[in-house]
């Protein structure tokens, strides 16, 4: 499961990852910084669709995914993103839906 | 030719528009704020591809397009973007290719 290191994160890939309504919603749901079970993050999105979104977010460096038993836990890489691109996640969290 | 008003600009659409290498390059080329003839902005991209990128950028509210005679002039909507999403364009301009 590929997770780019902090230095490997590319802004254009992060922007592309954030530039989708469902993925923006996922980031907002993870904003507290707590790790969530992947089934808890967003409702009303088919699992196969979500799997594709996790991958885009993970490969861009926006989230970490951690398997535990048969569950997959998700966390926003807020520290890495705030260090590399200060203010970007804050903009997304400030915006109304 | 649709140009959303400042208030209509949606962050997720702007992020999606900026999250592509060619479109990021276009925004960097327009960073001075000067209006450029559309043929001057980026080299080595086929015209049909560029036309699609202008449309994504324009409809998201990132650029203005202004026809003059047979030419099309392009300008970054820096004031609108800086007002709505402070720091976003600056992040893109700070990033190395």
């Amino acid at each position: 499961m590929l997770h780019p290191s902090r230095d490997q994160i590319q802004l254009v890939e992060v922007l592309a990852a954030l530039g989708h309504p469902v993925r923006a919603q996922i980031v907002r749901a993870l904003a507290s910084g707590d790790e969530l079970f992947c089934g808890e993050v967003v409702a009303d999105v088919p699992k196969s669709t979500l799997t594709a979104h996790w991958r885009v977010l993970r490969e861009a460096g926006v989230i970490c995914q951690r398997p535990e038993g048969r569950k997959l836990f998700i966390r926003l890489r807020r520290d890495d993103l705030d260090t590399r691109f200060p203010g970007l996640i804050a903009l997304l969290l400030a915006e109304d839906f």
Side-chain angles (χ1 to χ4, degrees), chain A residues 40-61:
Chain A
E40 300 171 317
V41 182
V42 288
D44 303 327
V45 179
K47 193 179 169 186
S48 59
T49 307
L50 269 185
T51 301
H53 289 315
W54 301 138
R55 181 179 175 164
V56 172
L57 289 166
R58 176 169 46 77
E59 293 189 351

Side-chain angles (χ1 to χ4, degrees), chain A residues 41-80:
Chain A
V41 182
V42 288
D44 303 327
V45 179
K47 193 179 169 186
S48 59
T49 307
L50 269 185
T51 301
H53 289 315
W54 301 138
R55 181 179 175 164
V56 172
L57 289 166
R58 176 169 46 77
E59 293 189 351
V62 176
I63 63 167
C64 272
Q65 282 180 295
R66 181 178 66 81
E68 187 180 296
R70 297 175 63 178
K71 287 193 169 184
L72 201 54
F73 288 86
I74 314 276
R75 183 178 59 75
L76 181 63
R77 295 179 65 178
R78 184 76 191 259
D79 281 355
D80 291 332

Side-chain angles (χ1 to χ4, degrees), chain A residues 17-29 57 92-93 97:
Chain A
L18 300 177
H20 184 285
V22 171
R23 294 196 294 266
Q25 187 187 350
I26 290 170
V27 170
R28 289 168 178 135
L57 289 166
L92 196 67
L93 301 181
F97 276 84

